[in-house]
């Protein structure tokens, strides 16, 4: 049994998980990019530290992106597992880090949102501070936000997909 995500005796799960996580990362990057275009479209440059700037915008970006991942991917994965188009996952097939996550959507989503906020926002703000940026051109902001969205999708995807696939078999 893999301590982190997957058991060694289920070779079908890594391919399934990788495909799901890639889709989540791409979809989340696109969604984050779209929202960023709408948010910052009237500016040629975006302040990093001011009210309404990039650092402050990371808070809703992080929480909303992870909530949307959980709320949209969970039902989709469950439908595909029930239809036989995705592998079923039993509780014993979950690694220890995933096993602690609630399988119920409404219990798991707030936990993932809090974890994303606590882990990603301070890290991202710290990296912005280390970079020493005060103002960034809009194309750079859009690229950073798309990459950040993809990273969120990839990081939290397994914690959505595997419990959802597990619950679908109950």
């Amino acid at each position: 049994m893999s301590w982190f995500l997957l058991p060694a005796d289920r070779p079908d799960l890594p391919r399934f998980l990788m495909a799901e996580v890639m889709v989540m990362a791409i979809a989340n990057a696109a969604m984050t990019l779209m929202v960023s275009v709408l948010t910052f479209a009237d500016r040629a440059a975006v302040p990093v530290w001011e009210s309404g700037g990039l650092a402050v915008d990371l808070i809703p970006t992080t929480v909303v992106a992870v909530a949307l991942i959980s709320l949209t991917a969970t039902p989709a994965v469950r439908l595909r597992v029930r239809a036989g188009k995705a592998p079923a996952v039993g509780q014993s097939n979950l690694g220890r880090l995933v096993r602690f996550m609630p399988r119920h959507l409404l219990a798991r989503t707030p936990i993932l949102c809090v974890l994303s906020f606590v882990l990603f926002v301070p890290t991202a703000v710290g990296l912005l501070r280390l970079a020493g940026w005060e103002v960034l051109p809009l194309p750079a902001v859009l690229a950073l936000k798309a990459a950040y969205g993809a990273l969120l999708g990839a990081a939290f995807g397994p914690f959505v997909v595997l419990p959802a696939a597990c619950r679908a078999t109950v």
Side-chain angles (χ1 to χ4, degrees), residues 122-141:
T123 303
V125 168
L127 290 172
L128 287 172
R129 179 65 69 194
L130 281 174
W133 294 325
E134 295 296 324
V135 177
L136 287 171
L138 182 60
V141 169

Side-chain angles (χ1 to χ4, degrees), residues 16 20 24 69-70 72-82 86-89 91 94 98 101-105 108 157-170:
F16 164 70
E20 293 296 317
M24 282 186 209
I69 290 168
S70 184
T72 58
T74 297
V77 169
R78 288 181 182 163
L79 284 172
R80 291 191 18 247
V81 169
R82 288 183 186 128
V89 178
Q91 184 71 17
L94 299 178
V98 176
M101 292 304 297
R103 289 185 292 164
H104 194 278
L105 172 66
R108 184 175 61 249
F159 297 97
V160 172
V161 171
L162 293 173
C166 186
R167 177 117 174 128
T169 62
V170 177

Side-chain angles (χ1 to χ4, degrees), residues 41-96:
D42 61 336
R43 306 175 193 184
V46 178
V48 175
W49 304 110
E50 294 175 16
S51 177
L54 182 60
V56 174
D57 186 61
L58 287 172
I59 297 167
T61 296
T62 303
V63 174
V64 170
V66 171
L68 287 175
I69 290 168
S70 184
L71 294 172
T72 58
T74 297
V77 169
R78 288 181 182 163
L79 284 172
R80 291 191 18 247
V81 169
R82 288 183 186 128
K85 296 179 181 177
V89 178
Q91 184 71 17
S92 64
N93 296 130
L94 299 178
R96 290 185 187 131

